Amino acid sequence: MLIIGAGQAAAVAAQALREHGHRGRITMLGRERHRPYERPPLSKAVLVAAEEPILDVVAQEAWALGDIDLRRSSEASALNLSRRQVRLAGGEVIGYDMCLIATGGEANTLACAPAGTPHVHHVRTLDDARRLRAALQHRPQVAVLGGGFLGLEIANAALAAGATVTVLERATSLLDRFLPPEASAWLASGLRQAGARLMLGTSLGGLQSLPGGRIRLATDAGDLAVDEVVVAIGLSPNDGLARDAGLQIAAGGGILVDALCRTSDERVFACGDCTSQQRPGQAGPTRMESWQNANEQARTAAAAMLGAPVPTPAVPWFWTDQGPHNIQVLGLPAPDLAYVRRGDPAGGKSLWIGHRDGVPLHGVAVNAGADLRALRPLFEQGQPLEFDDFRQDATNLRAWVRQMRAGAASTV
């Protein structure tokens, strides 16, 4: 078994191969010098914690028992499907019986500030996060380009470190593709109260280095001078190796995989941020950049590579910490959903359900993760619901879920 990539998905897949009984060799190729590590803390705890947290995807003891041949600082430069071989950048050739591509994604960059530009940061790797952490020690003026989940996590961390923070976002509201308008407005209000300046509906025209290490940002709302710039404008799938090998790539990017995470070559599988997969209810193949998706695709791919039963696909789930608040998302958003709300985010806890004709498809919880988990069976059964009691704070939510499930079962 050859695994190309050494991140979250790669490590989970390797562990799953062993759990399914594979006793043959597992070789893993990783571009970085580190063992596989968790990425979610990079934009949060790694930036502000007094001590850097332990980030191992697999505990050191379990990793040793797994007997994985990890080749650090090793990059695959070519994949030969007919010969079942991978060539490394240094020239070495490695053969395989089955191959798993878990190459993740690359942070999008600006043409006017490519990677390596002084005082311009992209937080994708542990080394990236450590460089930004060092810069934040001086309590600088920071501009965060991008108001997505990553950019806002970094903005909150920078505020906690004592930095002065400005967030530039082209959209006129925060996370409008993922949150209902009420939740988006609450999030923006909280950031402003925490001290952040939000420049919404603002486009960047250019970037210029100034004497003394400062940076001038030219925007359609005027110029802005800062000490550090964080670029958080999304991720591109690292699918070049697969593309060059002739594997099928989705129209929007990403290695196209089926429900088993199999590519267009029967002996090559792929999982994680580098993939695009057709999911129920979606018009076409989509990429899903989440911790949960990386783990679940990894387990699915490992089982399928060995011909073992694959796990049942789970309802998509995502979480983010925004300052003192935990936000969890269940299901997938769509522009035509109607939302009902329970609780008030101003009071510290709220929960929205986005539905189509009563069928729950999207849930958003603010400091109410346990309540959202209780709703999961309703999302899984896909039955129309009545929401009058859900809206009432006095309603016992778990009892309401049992009642809705029983009502759905009685109509079958």
Side-chain angles (χ1 to χ4, degrees):
M1 298 290 184
L2 176 64
I3 301 176
I4 305 175
Q8 176 87 33
V12 172
Q15 187 178 41
L17 286 169
R18 292 301 190 212
E19 290 172 352
H20 282 294
H22 179 66
R23 295 293 175 261
R25 186 171 185 177
I26 299 176
T27 301
M28 182 182 294
L29 307 176
R31 291 192 304 175
E32 296 186 52
R33 58 189 176 91
H34 309 289
R35 292 200 307 115
Y37 58 85
E38 299 266 7
R39 293 190 190 275
L42 299 185
S43 55
K44 298 182 280 290
V46 171
L47 298 181
V48 297
E51 294 186 8
E52 186 172 285
I54 297 174
L55 302 176
D56 291 338
V57 177
V58 178
Q60 189 168 356
E61 297 79 6
W63 182 263
L65 291 173
D67 189 25
I68 312 300
D69 179 16
L70 173 61
R71 310 280 189 91
R72 308 188 202 199
S73 302
S74 296
E75 184 168 7
S77 61
L79 171 62
N80 189 314
L81 301 177
S82 61
R83 294 184 177 181
R84 300 179 195 163
Q85 292 178 338
V86 168
R87 181 179 295 277
L88 305 187
E92 181 183 357
V93 175
I94 301 176
Y96 64 84
D97 295 307
M98 304 287 281
C99 177
L100 175 64
I101 302 176
T103 45
E106 297 286 346
N108 292 335
T109 61
L110 297 170
C112 60
T117 301
H119 303 288
V120 176
H121 304 266
H122 304 83
V123 180
R124 180 60 183 167
T125 70
L126 177 56
D127 292 337
D128 292 338
R130 287 171 172 170
R131 281 190 289 270
L132 179 57
R133 176 189 174 92
L136 292 177
Q137 303 301 311
H138 306 290
R139 299 188 174 185
Q141 291 180 309
V142 178
V144 178
L145 308 184
F149 288 111
L150 178 66
L152 297 183
E153 288 176 353
I154 294 170
N156 276 291
L159 287 169
T164 301
V165 177
T166 300
V167 177
L168 283 77
E169 168 57 48
R170 287 189 300 177
T172 56
S173 57
L174 296 176
L175 300 172
D176 57 354
R177 292 190 298 119
F178 302 97
L179 301 182
E182 284 183 321
S184 175
W186 164 82
L187 185 62
S189 176
L191 272 166
R192 290 189 175 104
Q193 290 176 14
R197 177 189 180 191
L198 300 185
M199 298 178 65
L200 303 180
T202 302
S203 296
L204 179 69
L207 182 152
Q208 178 186 8
S209 296
L210 299 175
R214 299 266 287 173
I215 298 175
R216 176 186 291 131
L217 303 176
T219 80
D220 54 6
D223 288 356
L224 174 69
V226 297
D227 302 303
E228 308 288 339
V229 174
V230 179
V231 181
I233 55 174
L235 196 71
S236 294
N238 205 342
D239 58 13
L241 183 74
R243 188 187 301 270
D244 292 344
L247 293 174
Q248 190 172 355
I249 305 296
I255 305 167
L256 189 63
V257 297
D258 63 13
L260 300 180
C261 292
R262 183 189 293 112
T263 72
S264 52
D265 184 289
E266 64 179 6
R267 288 187 172 270
V268 179
F269 291 71
C271 63
D273 291 349
C274 65
T275 67
S276 190
Q277 188 177 46
Q278 181 68 54
R279 293 176 173 84
Q282 298 294 297
T286 57
R287 293 195 302 113
M288 190 172 296
E289 300 161 5
S290 74
W291 180 89
Q292 179 215 33
N293 184 63
N295 290 341
E296 292 193 349
Q297 281 193 333
R299 295 187 184 104
T300 293
M305 291 169 78
L306 296 174
V310 300
T312 301
V315 177
W317 171 80
F318 173 81
W319 66 272
T320 177
D321 286 331
Q322 297 291 334
H325 303 291
N326 175 259
I327 300 175
Q328 298 191 25
V329 179
L330 185 65
L332 298 173
D336 62 338
L337 298 185
Y339 284 88
V340 294
R341 190 191 77 196
R342 172 187 174 90
D344 184 351
K349 183 177 180 180
S350 56
L351 179 60
W352 288 263
I353 294 181
H355 65 93
R356 184 183 296 123
D357 299 325
V359 178
L361 298 171
H362 187 221
V364 176
V366 173
N367 301 320
D371 290 344
L372 189 62
R373 288 192 294 274
L375 297 177
R376 183 182 289 273
L378 302 182
F379 282 71
E380 293 171 342
Q381 68 188 24
Q383 295 289 331
L385 306 174
E386 295 291 339
F387 294 103
D388 290 342
D389 290 338
F390 169 80
R391 293 184 177 93
Q392 307 303 316
D393 292 343
T395 299
N396 182 298
L397 192 58
R398 292 188 179 277
W400 178 79
V401 170
R402 287 195 297 270
Q403 179 185 351
M404 293 298 101
R405 295 184 70 187
S410 66
T411 62
V412 177

